[in-house]
Amino acid sequence: MDFSLPSTILNDKLVSLELIEKLKKSIEEQNHCLTIEYATIGITEVKMSVARLDLLDIRAHAYSMHGNFESALEDAEQMIEYGPTLAAGYLCKGNLFSMYGYQNDAMRAYESGINAIQQEDNEGIDRLLVAKVIALSLNERQVDFMAMLPTEVTNDIIVRLSQEAKSKCAMVSKAWRSQVLHCSDAWTNLVVTTEDKEKIDHLIGVTSYIAKHIKNLTINIKSEKARTWIERLNYGTLTQLKSFELTARSIQCSQSYTEATLVLWQARSTLTTVKIDQALSDGQETITLAQLLSWCNNITDLMYTTNFAMVINAGDFSSLDTSHPVSNMELEAREITGADISEMLKRCKQLRRLKINGCDETVLDSISNDAPGLQILMYNASHTAAQLKKEDFGEAPGLRKIDGNTKTIAAATRLLSLIYKNRKTLERVCLSLESVTDAQLKHLYPSYPQFRIENMTGLIAYRMPSIESLALQWIRNSTALTELSVGNVPDLNALVKTLMGVSPLEIFRLARLFANQEATGEPLIRLFDRYAKLSDTRPEVLTTITLWNCAEVNDSVLASLSNIKTLKSVHFGHLSAITVSGLSKFLESIRNRLTHITLDAMNIVSGKILEILARSTTLKNVTFQLLKSISGPEVRFMVDDLNHRLDTLTLNDCSSFTEEDLSYIRDKVKRVTIKNK
């Protein structure tokens, strides 16, 4: 397509020839992101020039074609403000409304222009009149697509609408209302989050009709409307409700407790997943844990949170069926003791996964004595472990995965005892013994003869000083270890010596070595050289490496690491001893087998590093965090050269990116995540 820019732009001396050519090319190629970028530069350059109107018009059109209606409308308003007696701004505004189907708004915009522009501007008035007639014609030719299209096509459209839009559609006519309310797929997943009175009223108006379609329901509204909406929900029949979540914001509302219990009671036979977060004030009624389990005797997944001690919220479990089907449970309270949950555990014999936060050490005794079928335990853990699929549950009783965080010697003693009891079945151990020293634990070791976890495939110990000798013993005696994550390692030589004597790892994460160690990378070079030789013939050798805040990691270590032919996932952070040259050589060496990379707080990362990544033929996932030296254009260059091969790009607290940068990047990458503090 051959396109000619308006003469006002071509003849404006403030607009460079280079920019004119770039703008012309981007318009011809219909590259709206670049058109927006170049028009923005031109608008900045010309400032008060007549060409500003045409540049704003070009940018508004590009915004609208890119789906950014609000920004396009802002440009049209700027045009009107800059030239209130000229037709251009009113035409631009009306055309935008017309393009998006708002013909009445378009006609009003054209009429405003007719009344505002100079009467001697016959050409401008004629253009506005013609545009108004076209908008009127389009408005009169509106088609009721629900009446014209096949039902399955109409339903597919309805499903894609927002909840607010669906509720509004139900108010248009009887035919539309019937179509919307009978589209069961449109109401399968319902999330109520808005605090807008009008939007909630729209939803309340259809609630009793759609209740029978709802399978997954989340209520997260704080106003008194929460009670009204839940009350209206109970007028319907919740015959298919499988999942119900009530957030702390909703439960705080006066009388929401009563209405929520009615929902739970009405759907008690179909509910399989319930999530209740009760941030309550003193004296407020509460839904107890025992009530939930007693009412909903088909629940398999339960998440229960309270800001009080569990002794207040646990309830009476004496009437609970001894074979309750709940298999996955997450509990969090200000305080949880073993006595609070012991009776529950005895009755929930199908429980396989338990995450429990806010508990003291007596909880471990109850778990050991009363939950023989438990396979995943997270004790005061700060993160969520991967779920086990039902078909993956082991037949033999005993824990398979344990994630424990303790702060006292009493808790550490009980946790180690639980690990020892399950040493035959444990496959993954994540341990953090805060404020507990190896010296304090030494007197416990005689109690654990032959403390081997032979089937352990993964060990995570980010507070190594407390259990160093025990962890090294587990590593030496495991025949299946493939994943190791360690932090605060007091003796790197001892760790590497142990690893040299066992089968190679597939995943290795090393973080925060002790500062008083001599900063030398020699032990790591020995280990990586061994892995490099093994990688010639063994595909399972190191595939993923994480090095974080390690002064020992220098250019020589990276050079050794680059020789491992199986390495494809790399995560570096706070590595102060490596240079631009060292990192460049490393990435250049592995770029065509690299699939995942994370660079965190690495000040040496700049455009040169991104150029190397851009030449990768295998890269799929990129995370940049706290990188202040990279720019929007440099990231755009990288994703351009990767040519839509990138699956995910995450930018956390990096340099500021313009909206144009982000729009361009999102066009090139399947999933983009931006997080800034």
Side-chain angles (χ1 to χ4, degrees):
M1 180 180 70
D2 189 18
F3 177 83
S4 179
L5 289 170
S7 59
T8 55
I9 299 175
L10 295 173
N11 298 330
D12 196 306
K13 295 181 179 179
L14 295 175
V15 183
S16 68
L17 291 176
E18 181 184 4
L19 181 62
I20 288 173
E21 287 302 316
K22 287 181 177 180
L23 182 59
K24 184 173 182 292
K25 183 179 179 183
S26 67
I27 295 172
E28 289 175 348
E29 295 178 351
Q30 298 184 34
N31 189 327
H32 305 302
C33 287
L34 284 179
T35 300
I36 292 167
E37 179 182 352
Y38 297 142
T40 301
I41 295 171
I43 291 166
T44 305
E45 289 180 354
V46 300
K47 294 184 179 177
M48 301 304 292
S49 166
V50 178
R52 183 181 178 86
L53 278 176
D54 287 318
L55 286 166
L56 282 167
D57 192 24
I58 289 170
R59 189 172 73 175
H61 178 74
Y63 271 134
S64 67
M65 295 302 290
H66 199 257
N68 194 340
F69 177 73
E70 290 77 12
S71 295
L73 200 58
E74 286 177 9
D75 278 355
E77 295 289 1
Q78 281 192 55
M79 292 175 68
I80 294 172
E81 183 181 351
Y82 186 71
T85 60
L86 300 176
Y90 302 100
L91 280 167
C92 179
K93 184 176 181 179
N95 292 344
L96 288 171
F97 280 127
S98 182
M99 180 190 298
Y100 276 77
Y102 307 128
Q103 305 305 335
N104 287 325
D105 290 322
M107 286 188 284
R108 281 192 287 270
Y110 297 137
E111 185 64 32
S112 296
I114 293 169
N115 295 329
I117 70 172
Q118 299 167 351
Q119 294 304 307
E120 58 269 23
D121 185 4
N122 294 324
E123 182 183 352
I125 291 175
D126 287 345
R127 291 175 66 193
L128 286 164
L129 285 170
V130 169
K132 182 180 177 182
V133 170
I134 292 173
L136 178 62
S137 175
L138 290 171
N139 195 47
E140 291 175 348
R141 291 207 309 265
Q142 288 182 348
V143 176
D144 184 351
F145 72 89
M146 284 202 182
M148 300 287 291
L149 295 173
T151 301
E152 59 271 19
V153 176
T154 304
N155 285 345
D156 186 56
I157 294 171
I158 294 171
V159 167
R160 298 169 189 269
L161 297 174
S162 67
Q163 289 175 182
E164 178 192 358
K166 283 182 282 194
S167 300
K168 286 184 177 179
C169 285
M171 307 297 176
V172 172
S173 66
K174 288 183 178 179
W176 279 46
R177 185 177 182 83
S178 176
Q179 185 77 43
V180 171
L181 297 184
H182 284 86
C183 180
S184 58
D185 289 344
W187 305 103
T188 298
N189 303 302
L190 189 62
V191 181
V192 187
T193 60
T194 181
E195 296 291 347
D196 185 281
K197 180 180 180 299
E198 182 181 354
K199 293 179 181 178
I200 296 177
D201 285 342
H202 280 305
L203 194 55
I204 287 174
V206 301
T207 296
S208 57
Y209 301 96
I210 63 173
K212 61 185 178 182
H213 302 313
I214 302 172
K215 294 182 180 179
N216 305 297
L217 173 63
T218 298
I219 304 176
N220 183 33
I221 48 179
K222 188 176 181 180
S223 68
E224 283 295 326
K225 287 288 183 180
R227 183 194 63 77
T228 306
W229 188 84
I230 299 173
E231 184 181 42
R232 184 63 61 88
L233 185 68
N234 282 305
Y235 291 162
T237 306
L238 293 165
T239 56
Q240 297 195 71
L241 191 63
K242 300 291 185 184
S243 172
F244 179 50
E245 178 180 355
L246 191 65
T247 68
R249 298 175 72 235
S250 297
I251 203 70
Q252 287 172 350
C253 178
S254 173
Q255 299 184 31
S256 287
Y257 159 80
T258 303
E259 303 302 336
T261 57
L262 290 175
V263 172
L264 290 167
W265 181 254
Q266 186 184 160
R268 64 191 182 281
S269 61
T270 58
L271 274 173
T272 58
T273 301
V274 174
K275 184 175 182 179
I276 302 288
D277 188 350
Q278 301 188 104
L280 305 171
S281 55
D282 290 333
Q284 190 173 350
E285 286 187 279
T286 179
I287 303 172
T288 68
L289 186 57
Q291 284 175 323
L292 273 175
L293 291 169
S294 297
W295 295 340
C296 307
N297 51 18
N298 289 315
I299 289 179
T300 57
D301 299 85
L302 174 61
M303 282 65 74
Y304 185 91
T305 302
T306 175
N307 57 330
F308 287 126
M310 186 59 76
V311 66
I312 299 173
N313 290 70
D316 182 5
F317 296 102
S318 59
S319 61
L320 190 63
D321 193 326
T322 56
S323 58
H324 198 284
V326 64
S327 59
N328 177 35
M329 186 181 294
E330 295 185 10
L331 304 177
E332 183 170 353
R334 189 172 64 196
E335 181 185 20
I336 306 176
T337 67
D340 297 334
I341 63 169
S342 179
E343 288 303 314
M344 179 200 70
L345 292 176
K346 290 176 183 177
R347 285 165 170 75
C348 297
K349 296 180 180 179
Q350 302 301 315
L351 190 61
R352 296 294 180 266
R353 177 183 180 272
L354 176 62
K355 180 179 181 182
I356 184 163
N357 282 7
C359 43
D360 68 10
E361 61 270 14
T362 61
V363 165
L364 294 170
D365 293 336
S366 294
I367 290 171
S368 180
N369 298 327
D370 304 323
L374 197 63
Q375 300 202 356
I376 300 177
L377 171 64
M378 285 153 285
Y379 172 83
N380 289 333
S382 58
H383 62 278
T384 301
Q387 301 278 352
L388 263 185
K389 297 179 181 179
K390 295 285 194 307
E391 58 267 27
D392 292 336
F393 286 163
E395 296 181 2
L399 285 169
R400 294 174 62 188
K401 299 184 180 183
I402 189 166
D403 185 341
N405 187 345
T406 69
K407 296 185 178 181
T408 67
I409 186 65
T413 302
R414 285 176 165 87
L415 189 58
L416 286 174
S417 177
L418 187 62
I419 293 173
Y420 185 71
K421 178 181 178 180
N422 293 275
R423 65 191 183 280
K424 298 291 186 182
T425 56
L426 272 171
E427 299 171 2
R428 184 180 177 87
V429 177
C430 180
L431 207 54
S432 177
L433 305 185
E434 288 190 60
S435 305
V436 180
T437 67
D438 197 45
Q440 288 176 303
L441 292 175
K442 275 185 178 178
H443 75 281
L444 297 174
Y445 293 163
S447 304
Y448 309 122
Q450 298 183 335
F451 199 162
R452 299 178 179 180
I453 310 178
E454 295 179 356
N455 296 315
M456 182 174 66
T457 60
L459 172 61
I460 301 172
Y462 280 124
R463 296 184 183 274
M464 276 287 281
S466 60
I467 57 163
E468 181 184 30
S469 57
L470 197 56
L472 294 181
Q473 180 180 327
W474 290 343
I475 294 170
R476 277 194 298 270
N477 293 310
S478 173
T479 58
L481 188 68
T482 59
E483 178 183 355
L484 177 63
S485 300
V486 289
N488 289 325
V489 179
D491 190 342
L492 182 60
N493 272 303
L495 175 63
V496 168
K497 183 178 179 181
T498 302
L499 292 175
M500 294 287 281
V502 299
S503 296
L505 298 169
E506 293 181 25
I507 301 171
F508 184 31
R509 303 182 186 94
L510 185 63
R512 286 197 299 265
L513 299 179
F514 263 25
N516 61 359
Q517 295 187 101
E518 183 181 352
T520 172
E522 193 274 332
L524 290 175
I525 292 172
R526 291 203 318 270
L527 179 66
F528 295 154
D529 282 349
R530 175 180 179 245
Y531 283 5
K533 291 179 182 178
L534 293 172
S535 69
D536 288 333
T537 56
R538 298 175 62 171
E540 74 280 5
V541 177
L542 195 66
T543 61
T544 302
I545 184 75
T546 298
L547 299 171
W548 192 82
N549 202 11
C550 300
E552 292 76 5
V553 176
N554 52 33
D555 291 354
S556 298
V557 172
L558 293 192
S560 176
L561 185 64
S562 69
N563 294 324
I564 301 175
K565 297 178 179 59
T566 51
L567 187 65
K568 56 186 178 182
S569 182
V570 172
H571 311 273
F572 292 162
H574 296 268
L575 301 181
S576 58
I578 65 175
T579 66
V580 175
S581 175
L583 182 59
S584 299
K585 289 178 181 178
F586 170 77
L587 293 175
E588 192 67 60
S589 177
I590 70 165
R591 64 179 169 85
N592 287 330
R593 60 178 185 270
L594 184 66
T595 59
H596 296 67
I597 187 166
T598 298
L599 296 173
D600 178 5
M602 302 281 288
N603 293 330
I604 62 172
V605 175
S606 61
K608 180 179 179 181
I609 300 299
L610 269 58
E611 286 178 16
I612 298 172
L613 297 178
R615 295 197 297 273
S616 172
T617 58
T618 54
L619 192 58
K620 295 294 183 182
N621 302 279
V622 174
T623 297
F624 293 148
Q625 181 160 307
L626 292 171
L627 301 184
K628 303 301 183 184
S629 53
I630 61 172
S631 66
E634 288 169 338
V635 175
R636 289 169 60 166
F637 172 84
M638 181 188 76
V639 299
D640 244 346
D641 273 24
L642 287 169
N643 194 24
H644 296 283
R645 293 194 300 273
L646 208 57
D647 289 335
T648 64
L649 173 62
T650 302
L651 302 170
N652 294 339
D653 297 314
C654 294
S655 300
S656 58
F657 289 82
T658 66
E659 280 300 318
E660 288 76 19
D661 290 331
L662 299 180
S663 295
Y664 187 83
I665 291 168
R666 288 190 175 101
D667 274 349
K668 299 285 185 176
V669 183
K670 294 176 183 176
R671 187 168 69 252
V672 178
T673 303
I674 312 290
K675 295 180 181 179
N676 291 305
K677 292 181 180 178

